[in-house]
Amino acid sequence: MCGFCDIQNIGKEVDPPTPFDENDFNRMSNDVWIGAVTKSNMPEGSYLKTAKYLNDGIGAGVVEFDVVDELLIRDLTNNIYVFSGAKTYQQVRAMTDVLANPEFQSNFYKFKEAVKPIFETYNKDYLQAEYQTAKASSRMGAEWKRIEADADVLPLLKYQTVGDGRVRPTHAALDNIVRPYNDAFWKQYYPPNGWRCRCTVVQMAEDVEPLTDMSGFNPPDDVPPLFRMNVGQDGYVFKSKGKDKHPYFDIAKDDKENAKKNWNLPIIV
């Protein structure tokens, strides 16, 4: 499980199999151990495999829409590549840090055993939850563009959970809130509102249901700060800047110049 992002609702939605296998692990662990892969010489193949998997999530999220805003998709795709670079960096950084122990510098098999959990966590548990977030975010981003297009006749939005036993209590507290589409509420609580969040919105005409009185509203305390945004307005899945950025973007000072260049890894948009 993800120690820094509290992945929830795991194992219920269908996660495509991770694209990483034992061969990938053998290659990366060997390359890190011999110094062929470092924080300044990142594994392009691993990076591209991550980016493709997550971009497939973007595609899966918008497949139901006849027309999708091309600029939005371009922005989300670019964000996925930058995110994949930061993710690859953090994985290499974690595996390289293991080599600080002299025991692992001199024994490759002990090193492999030590870094196997790192590889599996980044390339299975984290990656599959990130796929679901990319999928949900692209779907809700495309939905937002449709909401804006229809806002003249359908100016209200209603928050809606799936309504089953796996809905988080504070997401349930958001259920059925009705506010204008341009209300500040949707700048922070437009879905998804967490890892593997399945919430959505319903667009409505005026007078179908009364607006929710927000005077006594208690903001949810379990919506991670990096999810307090509106993907349709902000144009990204994973926040890369500011105090609420995704932890992958916590870059060591000495590596920040390389980060600005996406570690010389290609961005294909």
Side-chain angles (χ1 to χ4, degrees), residues 151-215:
D152 287 346
V153 292
L154 300 170
L156 303 184
L157 296 182
K158 178 179 179 180
Y159 195 100
Q160 193 167 78
T161 69
V162 173
D164 62 17
R166 293 193 292 117
V167 174
R168 280 157 266 197
T170 48
H171 289 208
L174 299 172
D175 198 23
N176 296 319
I177 287 179
V178 178
R179 299 300 298 169
Y181 87 98
N182 56 0
D183 189 86
F185 174 82
W186 303 113
K187 293 182 181 293
Q188 288 202 65
Y189 298 112
Y190 184 73
N193 283 312
W195 299 99
R196 296 182 181 272
C197 174
R198 301 166 297 150
C199 299
T200 188
V201 297
V202 177
Q203 191 171 17
M204 304 185 302
E206 289 182 309
D207 302 324
V208 173
E209 292 190 27
L211 294 179
T212 302
D213 181 1
M214 304 298 286
S215 58

Side-chain angles (χ1 to χ4, degrees), residues 20-132:
F20 291 89
D21 57 23
E22 194 69 18
N23 290 330
D24 293 301
F25 169 65
N26 290 335
R27 184 181 306 109
M28 179 171 284
S29 58
N30 180 73
D31 287 349
V32 170
W33 195 71
I34 66 175
V37 162
T38 65
K39 293 183 294 179
S40 59
N41 186 31
M42 302 276 274
E44 184 172 317
S46 178
Y47 158 77
L48 290 174
K49 189 173 286 192
T50 297
K52 181 183 184 306
Y53 184 80
L54 296 180
N55 274 316
D56 285 348
I58 297 291
V62 300
V63 69
E64 68 184 75
F65 295 87
D66 295 330
V67 179
V68 181
D69 186 285
E70 292 185 5
L71 180 59
L72 173 66
I73 297 303
R74 191 180 309 122
D75 287 344
L76 298 184
T77 301
N78 183 81
N79 177 247
I80 288 299
Y81 275 104
V82 174
F83 177 82
S84 297
K87 177 185 177 74
T88 305
Y89 162 81
Q90 294 294 353
Q91 182 181 185
V92 170
R93 181 182 181 183
M95 295 175 75
T96 302
D97 286 349
V98 173
L99 287 172
N101 186 329
E103 179 183 7
F104 300 127
Q105 294 176 13
S106 59
N107 191 315
F108 175 60
Y109 296 102
K110 285 187 177 181
F111 171 75
K112 281 188 70 175
E113 184 178 355
V115 299
K116 185 69 175 288
I118 295 172
F119 181 88
E120 290 184 342
T121 298
Y122 273 94
N123 296 306
K124 183 179 180 183
D125 296 340
Y126 290 10
L127 186 61
Q128 289 178 320
E130 291 155 3
Y131 172 93
Q132 293 295 349

